[in-house]
Amino acid sequence: ADVISSSVGYIIDYSYEDLDENTVAVTIVVDLAVKKGVAVFNSAGNEGLTYWEHIIAPADGDSVIAIGGVTPDGDFWAISSRGPTADGRTKPDLAAQGQDTYCVNPTSTDRYTTANGTSVACPLGAGAGAIVLSVMPTMSPLELRELLKSHASQSNNPDNFMGYGI
């Protein structure tokens, strides 16, 4: 695989201080996949309105492209998990529509529906990454990450809600 879109996320048995890219096992494994040449996109999480509030592992990885959620109007979606990481890095990296996202109805072969969550935002980001790689196939995952961040809507003013933007 050249691109992975993942919605896994772990916070149980961890503290916020563990979100430092070096503690949670799944984050270490995902960063290893990136070192082997796979661009890994991971959902930031839907913890924005919970006690946790922060991103989930492995979205804390320094090589992972963490995708947060926005509304259909492009505003930060309050349910989306926030950064920064425990060691102060901006997260999520990017954002895509996570609220009322038009998608295939999983119970039908010919119908569409809407869904919510960073688990539907993440594949949108990964799809954009795959398109870029289709025309620049020698680009490394870290080069892809930097290219996407540098061309996103908040590239000059990233924050811990939408990262570098849409």
Side-chain angles (χ1 to χ4, degrees), residues 90-116:
T90 298
K91 286 287 181 168
D93 296 292
L94 300 166
Q97 187 171 334
Q99 181 187 38
D100 296 329
T101 306
Y102 199 62
C103 58
V104 173
N105 185 330
T107 63
S108 171
T109 59
D110 62 352
R111 292 200 175 94
Y112 296 89
T113 189
T114 58
N116 296 313

Side-chain angles (χ1 to χ4, degrees), residues 19-20 25 33 36 45 51 57 64 85-87 109 112-113 120 138 142-143 155:
L19 297 180
D20 62 1
K36 294 199 175 275
Y51 76 95
V64 174
T85 60
D87 57 339
T109 59
Y112 296 89
T113 189
V120 291
T138 61
L142 295 179
E143 291 171 329
S155 61

Side-chain angles (χ1 to χ4, degrees), residues 39-42 63-67 91 93-94 122 141 144-145 148:
V40 178
F41 291 75
N42 205 94
S63 302
V64 174
I65 303 169
I67 305 291
K91 286 287 181 168
D93 296 292
L94 300 166
C122 186
L144 174 65
R145 181 174 170 260
L148 293 172

